[in-house]
Amino acid sequence: MKNRKKVAFYTLGCKLNFSETSTIARNFNDEGFDRVDFEEVADIYVINTCSVTENADKQFKQVVKKAMKLNEKAFVAAVGCYAQLKPEELAAVDGVDLVLGATEKFKITDYIHDLSKNDMGEVHSCEIAEADFYVGSYSIGDRTRAFLKVQDGCDYKCTYCTIPLARGISRSDALENVLKNAKEISAQNIREIVLTGVNIGDYGKGEFGNKKHEHTFLDLVQALDKVEGIERLRISSIEPNLLKNETIEFVSKSRTFVPHFHIPLQSGSNDILKLMKRRYLREVYIDRVSKIREVMPHACIGVDVIVGFPGETDEHFLETYHFLNELDISYLHVFTYSERDNTEAAEMDGVVPANVRAKRSKMLRGLSVKKRRAFYESQLGTQRTVLFEGENKEGYIHGFTENYVKVKTPWNPELVNTLQEINLTKIDEDGSVRMEFVNKLAEA
């Protein structure tokens, strides 16, 4: 069919954004557009923005510039969290034609009437209180794994976070719909599904568009475990206060859920957790880690932590450092605190100088390297299952075991998107783990 318009997408930020970009892309497809790579010339460029990463505005401007270089007449649309929080700011960026907020982004094709450039970006952004309906989505970025969105928004009031302002109240997909999406994904020969959301442990709330709900996160996990054709399920990130013992126990015995948990901590100091308005103290975190270790000694446990929060003294930071050093965890994601407009923390006293934030961040990143190494060493000599990915990186194929150990072996295209039984043998110079096949598959 001639003259089909071309659309390209760029996603900044989290796995949830990737799943939503995929859904928006399918909408364009239904409207008769052809999707092309962002490096190619397109008629429309859609940028899904993020408000969490530092320099969000700078990143956005660079991506717009890239699009304009490829086609100066292209129509550029900004959607996502940053578009909800700072629509005017994005609309003023040279080259931007359309900015859509939290509820409008899923109806983007309704707003694209003609593709002529605007002098100033046109803004359609609802009051965030109106973001009360749920749009299910999933992404199939590579053929190995897919991100399946099960929940959106957040009712928590953490003092540093803009996500409730960008995404609205906590709301969930109906259980039947999640299962339907999971079946659609597994029918496409995808081996692993990663569950995503803003606060997935809160799953069930807002299932009917109100606060009433029939299902819990445990119900969701139990139902997904029964879906035929799915080989692996991974929980992306879950709040410690919402990760219940029953869920941990279920995962330990489950058919498809892998022994990998990512649990935000944010601080190892109870004083700072209170300032952050987190909904737990460090003792709860210790309980969760102990419970996981008790039923799944080989599980991988990842931790989010923020350094340089207002009021964080050297003593508070060292408390966090020692807490994490002694805790039996596998790796850290370290975030350097950065001020966000319209958050309580931005008004707090005790601002930590930027150079101190950077130093603390470096210390924790060093600790993360040490933790990951120790975790990998503890896995040497064990038998695991690895899911191989599709990229040839300098003559090697990489993959992850069920408990998130990154392995590598010489490139063999036959291994792509297959699950293989392996023994973990030694740690390579680049930090990944070398392996041997259990069933002596042709190691060409």
Side-chain angles (χ1 to χ4, degrees):
M1 196 172 151
K2 63 180 178 103
N3 290 343
R4 277 169 70 102
K5 297 283 185 203
K6 294 191 171 104
V7 60
F9 298 87
Y10 197 99
T11 306
L12 296 159
C14 64
K15 292 173 180 147
L16 186 56
N17 272 3
F18 279 93
S19 75
E20 293 183 340
T21 298
S22 283
T23 297
I24 294 167
R26 285 193 285 275
N27 293 347
F28 271 97
N29 200 30
D30 295 344
E31 296 290 329
F33 288 83
D34 285 331
R35 181 175 185 174
V36 297
D37 196 73
F38 200 84
E39 311 296 324
E40 295 177 44
V41 173
D43 300 289
I44 303 179
Y45 291 94
V46 179
I47 305 164
N48 195 350
T49 62
C50 170
S51 66
V52 175
T53 48
E54 269 190 283
N55 307 328
D57 51 340
K58 206 157 88 192
Q59 280 181 311
F60 176 74
K61 283 174 185 157
Q62 283 165 351
V63 179
V64 174
K65 213 174 254 172
K66 197 170 165 186
M68 291 285 86
K69 214 177 235 168
L70 288 161
N71 178 7
E72 60 178 24
K73 295 191 174 68
F75 188 89
V76 176
V79 301
C81 292
Y82 206 64
Q84 175 65 36
L85 290 173
K86 303 269 179 90
E88 275 73 27
E89 210 171 282
L90 293 193
V93 172
D94 208 24
V96 174
D97 301 292
L98 180 67
V99 179
L100 298 181
T103 64
E104 293 81 7
K105 64 187 169 194
F106 294 109
K107 299 178 281 200
I108 181 168
T109 51
D110 297 353
Y111 291 97
I112 296 174
H113 308 301
D114 76 285
L115 298 183
S116 49
K117 298 290 289 171
N118 295 326
D119 292 340
M120 174 82 178
E122 195 183 310
V123 173
H124 296 275
S125 173
C126 66
E127 286 302 311
I128 198 60
E130 291 165 30
D132 57 359
F133 61 88
Y134 184 85
V135 176
S137 52
Y138 59 84
S139 82
I140 297 177
D142 57 42
R143 15 179 222 156
T144 312
R145 70 175 58 80
F147 300 119
L148 171 57
K149 173 181 162 187
V150 299
Q151 182 275 344
D152 200 351
C154 189
D155 292 341
Y156 287 8
K157 301 281 187 287
C158 302
T159 53
Y160 52 82
C161 186
T162 55
I163 287 174
L165 300 172
R167 283 188 170 269
I169 58 170
S170 179
R171 53 211 189 272
S172 307
D173 205 350
L175 188 59
E176 307 73 69
N177 200 42
V178 174
L179 297 176
K180 178 178 94 46
N181 284 342
K183 284 172 187 145
E184 282 176 20
I185 293 168
S186 65
Q188 298 183 51
N189 194 27
I190 285 168
R191 311 277 184 200
E192 180 173 304
I193 294 177
V194 183
L195 302 185
T196 71
V198 173
N199 186 358
I200 63 173
D202 209 23
Y203 175 80
K205 195 190 273 185
E207 225 180 323
F208 304 104
N210 53 27
K211 292 294 174 204
K212 222 169 71 213
H213 65 88
E214 259 171 44
H215 300 106
T216 62
F217 184 68
L218 179 61
D219 294 337
L220 172 74
V221 166
Q222 289 171 332
L224 280 166
D225 198 46
K226 295 189 185 106
V227 175
E228 288 297 312
I230 297 176
E231 296 181 70
R232 270 188 181 182
L233 282 154
R234 205 177 283 279
I235 298 166
S236 61
S237 177
I238 184 165
E239 294 282 304
N241 49 308
L242 295 173
L243 177 57
K244 302 288 187 250
N245 283 347
E246 296 81 7
T247 305
I248 296 170
E249 300 246 346
F250 182 78
V251 167
S252 74
K253 299 184 184 79
S254 127
R255 181 181 69 87
T256 53
F257 277 89
V258 295
H260 175 203
F261 294 88
H262 193 93
I263 314 166
L265 168 69
Q266 311 310 16
S267 175
S269 158
N270 282 342
D271 294 344
I272 300 297
L273 288 173
K274 286 172 189 167
L275 282 176
M276 290 175 165
K277 290 195 178 165
R278 299 293 285 158
R279 298 200 174 192
Y280 54 85
L281 296 174
R282 54 188 260 162
E283 290 71 19
V284 169
Y285 204 92
I286 295 170
D287 281 353
R288 293 299 168 268
V289 172
S290 309
K291 180 66 188 174
I292 293 167
R293 287 280 167 247
E294 177 199 320
V295 295
M296 288 171 272
H298 60 296
C300 179
I301 303 173
V303 183
D304 285 342
V305 61
I306 295 171
V307 295
F309 189 79
E312 184 186 63
T313 60
D314 285 345
E315 289 73 23
H316 289 132
F317 171 71
L318 288 174
E319 211 182 329
T320 295
Y321 187 92
H322 295 310
F323 179 73
L324 288 164
N325 193 27
E326 283 155 31
L327 208 56
D328 191 0
I329 49 132
S330 317
Y331 65 89
L332 304 171
H333 280 174
V334 184
F335 298 90
T336 305
Y337 171 75
S338 65
E339 285 75 5
R340 291 282 175 269
D341 290 347
N342 302 317
T343 59
E344 270 186 69
E347 312 293 316
M348 286 180 179
D349 297 333
V351 172
V352 178
N355 62 327
V356 177
R357 296 183 207 186
K359 189 175 134 204
R360 290 176 186 174
S361 175
K362 195 175 172 186
M363 278 177 74
L364 282 183
R365 290 202 169 100
L367 179 62
S368 180
V369 170
K370 195 177 103 179
K371 285 284 184 187
R372 195 185 294 268
R373 174 107 194 171
F375 173 60
Y376 280 9
E377 281 173 358
S378 76
Q379 297 303 301
L380 295 180
T382 62
Q383 187 173 324
R384 298 279 171 242
T385 307
V386 64
L387 173 57
F388 282 108
E389 298 182 350
E391 212 181 327
N392 182 343
K393 289 184 186 163
E394 294 170 6
Y396 286 94
I397 186 168
H398 292 78
F400 284 94
T401 62
E402 63 274 41
N403 60 341
Y404 215 54
V405 173
K406 188 176 187 182
V407 305
K408 68 188 271 196
T409 198
W411 172 255
N412 175 352
E414 286 170 30
L415 292 173
V416 172
N417 199 31
T418 66
L419 287 156
Q420 301 288 341
E421 295 294 311
I422 58 154
N423 288 316
L424 299 173
T425 55
K426 64 172 189 171
I427 300 177
D428 210 46
E429 288 109 57
D430 66 1
S432 54
V433 178
R434 301 300 288 260
M435 41 146 285
E436 287 167 356
F437 291 100
V438 169
N439 55 358
K440 287 298 169 218
L441 177 132
E443 297 190 33

